[in-house]
Amino acid sequence: MDTDLPGTPGGAGTAGIDVPDDLLAAAELVPAGPTAPRGGPPGGGVSLARPLVYALPAEGPRPRTALVCFPFDLEEPPDGHGYREVELAVTFDDEDLCALDLRPAPGAGAGGGERVSVFGLGRNRLRWVFRAGAGRAGLRPDGRWTQALVRLPGRFTEVHGRLTLRAVLDHPSPDGDHERAEVRTRDEVPFRLARPDTWLAASLAPAPSEPGTGALAAFREPPTPDGGLPPGQHRLCYAVDIEKYSARDNAGMIRAQRALMRVVKAACAHAGVDWAGCGRQAQGDGYLLVLLPDADVTRAVPRLMAGTAEALAAVNAEGDHGGTPLRMRACFHQGIVHEAESGYAGAAVVELFRILDSGPLRTRLAEERDTDLVTAFSDRLYQDLTPHGYDGLSPAGFERAGISVPAKGFTGTAWIRSHPRAPDRASGRAAAPAGRNPR
């Protein structure tokens, strides 16, 4: 992961671990015409997040189709002002790049009569225009997202382009009425999307309010003609999931996803895990990492566990998590994994998620309010690692739990441990480093 893209400074975590910053740019909105809004800053501002890229399954080793998501947050305008219209424009520099689908779709609506217009299908220049409904309420100044399903030209190594944002601001006039003025970002904001930054699209069907799901549900590549079984390899798998994700509003979900991505990337960096080499599958409220077959499990597991705890503490201390601190479940397992048409398949992946979603793991996180992270090992992984003290790992702190999912015909055993947070999180200060060797 390149954390030093132009205009995208890396973020230093406050818990002794580097947490990559997901911010592409924070831009001021300045007057675009002769009528400037009065009574404060020109028109608030906007935070443009780094675009997210979900690779769709396709024939051959390189994806040719991808879903690109552009999340952004409008800042609160000055008192008495309100957004009547917001337009996000995306230009891909490669003119051969073609948009196959755009979401939100034209005519899509939201609360308060908000409507969306979309332009650029079949082109490399795209625009989404959000318009407020009738009345003075205006657009909500919170998180939004747009997404484009694109056909990638040639060999996909990177895609780059530019973003601009324009808004129509309703502002008070001297006679007590309201006037409207146009504001926009002062400059174009460049972005670059490299292949190592892509996520493999999941075969699951997340809620339609989540970034990157609408077009995925509407478009699928055809299966390979020969229907052959892809190679199976013994892989270490690591999955994480956010507690009570669906209880957040749309903006909260977007921010939680960004924060979770930062946590996972920082944990990989801390563990020395090759981010570009990992298989990655987005789950909406969580992520699946499938490490390379030659990964050193004895080092990767304890260091990913410690890195996740430290990065989560740092993100929660910063407060950019969607209104409610992130609390997470995590699980490790290993076994035979196949890279299938729309995700990773195999009994090892199934067991991993059975444990991650199990009652004992959910209950432990719900009941232990002094922790934001609980981790489970499958029984096989636990027996392979903990008796031998790899990288300081030991059985201390783990508790055995029986896992039973009758509806799925699954029974198994997991070993669960909590990661108590430092006592000063409530004060807004960073948690102390969790240490490299968890015990």
Side-chain angles (χ1 to χ4, degrees), residues 46-312:
V46 61
S47 296
L48 298 165
R50 290 185 181 182
L52 307 175
V53 190
Y54 298 85
L56 290 173
E59 296 181 25
R62 294 185 179 273
R64 298 294 303 279
T65 308
L67 188 72
V68 187
C69 304
F70 300 94
F72 64 96
D73 286 337
L74 289 171
E75 296 177 1
E76 289 282 351
D79 290 342
H81 297 58
Y83 296 107
R84 302 302 307 174
E85 180 177 298
V86 173
E87 175 189 284
L88 181 72
V90 178
T91 301
F92 292 102
D93 291 335
D94 191 334
E95 294 184 355
D96 293 330
L97 187 146
C98 174
L100 303 174
D101 190 18
L102 299 172
R103 301 294 175 96
E114 178 180 320
R115 309 301 290 178
V116 182
S117 299
V118 183
F119 308 89
L121 191 63
R123 302 172 54 197
N124 69 316
R125 296 176 180 270
L126 318 174
R127 289 189 298 129
W128 289 264
V129 182
F130 300 82
R131 293 186 175 92
R136 289 280 172 83
L139 294 168
R140 293 173 292 103
D142 57 11
R144 281 178 168 78
W145 57 269
T146 65
Q147 59 188 24
L149 184 70
V150 299
R151 178 70 69 181
L152 300 171
R155 289 169 61 88
F156 171 36
T157 57
E158 69 176 34
V159 173
H160 45 85
R162 292 152 284 139
L163 300 173
T164 58
L165 187 132
R166 178 190 65 84
V168 174
L169 201 66
D170 191 17
H171 63 94
S173 64
D175 58 8
D177 200 357
H178 276 67
E179 298 177 352
R180 293 184 181 178
E182 186 174 299
V183 293
R184 63 174 63 242
T185 49
R186 187 184 306 275
D187 301 303
E188 293 181 319
V189 178
F191 64 86
R192 177 164 62 89
L193 311 174
R195 179 177 170 80
D197 298 328
T198 63
W199 294 87
L200 181 65
S203 58
L204 303 179
S209 60
E210 299 167 11
T213 60
L216 285 179
F219 182 88
R220 286 285 185 264
E221 290 279 357
T224 55
D226 58 11
L229 187 68
Q233 295 179 309
H234 195 272
R235 311 283 288 270
L236 173 66
C237 301
Y238 179 46
V240 293
D241 189 273
I242 302 173
E243 181 190 51
K244 296 182 179 178
Y245 173 80
S246 61
R248 300 169 183 259
D249 61 18
N250 287 0
M253 290 182 185
I254 293 170
R255 293 190 180 99
Q257 284 196 29
R258 295 181 197 164
L260 180 59
M261 184 178 292
R262 295 178 64 200
V263 169
V264 177
K265 289 180 179 178
C268 285
H270 180 76
V273 169
D274 179 11
W275 172 259
C278 283
R280 304 187 300 276
Q281 183 168 298
Q283 310 281 158
D285 57 352
Y287 288 108
L288 167 66
L289 292 180
V290 182
L291 276 66
L292 290 169
D294 61 354
D296 184 347
V297 177
T298 65
R299 290 182 173 86
V301 170
R303 295 178 185 181
L304 277 172
M305 186 166 62
T308 301
E310 293 189 15
L312 180 61

Side-chain angles (χ1 to χ4, degrees), residues 360 364 379 382-383 397-403 412-416:
R364 171 70 75 91
D379 186 56
Y382 177 85
Q383 301 300 340
F398 284 92
E399 292 185 5
R400 185 181 184 277
I403 308 298
T413 298
W415 296 84
I416 301 173

